[in-house]
Amino acid sequence: MKVTNLILASSILILTNMLSSPAIAQTKLFKMTCVKSGRVFFEESNVSIARQLFKSIMYMIYDTATITCDLTSSGQRFSQLDLAFGISDGGRCRVSQFVSLYLDGKNVGNFELNSGILKTTRLNIAGKRSFFLAFQGADCAASGAVHFVNATLR
């Protein structure tokens, strides 16, 4: 229980820092030129993850879904990508969902997700051209949706 609380507190601290840090140049990843495959939805909605309310900016559901984004399409240069994502607290899917991250075709992160857990990561994208995100999960309908609540380029 103490380890879970420590992990939750650390995730909250990282996310708070990521969402409130001032940046000279920043933009949302999904405003870049992106190509999607499968059930990827760019719809804003409120979602509760880790007993906190967030604005979901994109979600992925069912089976497999992918999104590939051109990190250079805005003409700006970015050095980091902050991501925060998870499955809602009320999710009834009892099977883990998986998210894998790639930069220029190389795997840079793999995450196992369960209901009510918020995952955060910061990627060094200096000199990178493309970002690929792969979702693989059970057919749990909307209860297994992976919601992205932050996807900021800095």
Side-chain angles (χ1 to χ4, degrees):
M1 184 68 166
K2 289 182 181 181
V3 172
T4 302
N5 289 340
L6 181 60
I7 291 170
L8 180 61
S10 297
S11 292
I12 291 168
L13 182 61
I14 291 169
L15 181 63
T16 301
N17 185 2
M18 289 165 63
L19 294 176
S20 65
S21 300
I24 294 170
Q26 68 179 26
T27 193
K28 297 298 180 190
L29 172 67
F30 304 127
K31 300 280 185 200
M32 308 296 278
T33 300
C34 297
V35 176
K36 66 179 186 163
S37 173
R39 296 180 186 243
V40 178
F41 300 92
F42 296 99
E43 298 173 6
E44 288 190 3
S45 64
N46 291 324
V47 62
S48 175
I49 303 172
R51 296 174 296 284
Q52 300 175 77
L53 184 64
F54 294 100
K55 173 88 57 195
S56 174
I57 55 176
M58 187 271 287
Y59 67 95
M60 305 171 108
I61 59 173
Y62 304 124
D63 215 11
T64 59
T66 65
I67 184 166
T68 306
C69 296
D70 179 354
L71 298 174
T72 65
S73 62
S74 74
Q76 291 181 288
R77 293 181 187 217
F78 299 100
S79 60
Q80 70 186 38
L81 170 59
D82 294 331
L83 295 170
F85 51 93
I87 299 173
S88 70
D89 292 328
R92 293 177 302 280
C93 190
R94 300 289 179 230
V95 181
S96 296
Q97 313 286 44
F98 298 91
V99 170
S100 296
L101 309 175
Y102 297 80
L103 289 172
D104 290 346
K106 294 182 180 158
N107 183 278
V108 294
N110 297 297
F111 298 88
E112 181 176 353
L113 300 167
N114 292 294
S115 177
I117 304 296
L118 181 71
K119 300 286 185 170
T120 59
T121 189
R122 178 171 281 164
L123 301 175
N124 178 355
I125 61 168
K128 303 299 183 193
R129 293 182 327 105
S130 100
F131 172 77
F132 178 81
L133 185 153
F135 165 76
Q136 183 175 359
D139 184 0
C140 295
S143 68
V146 174
H147 292 271
F148 284 76
V149 298
N150 187 30
T152 305
L153 295 159
R154 298 182 194 276

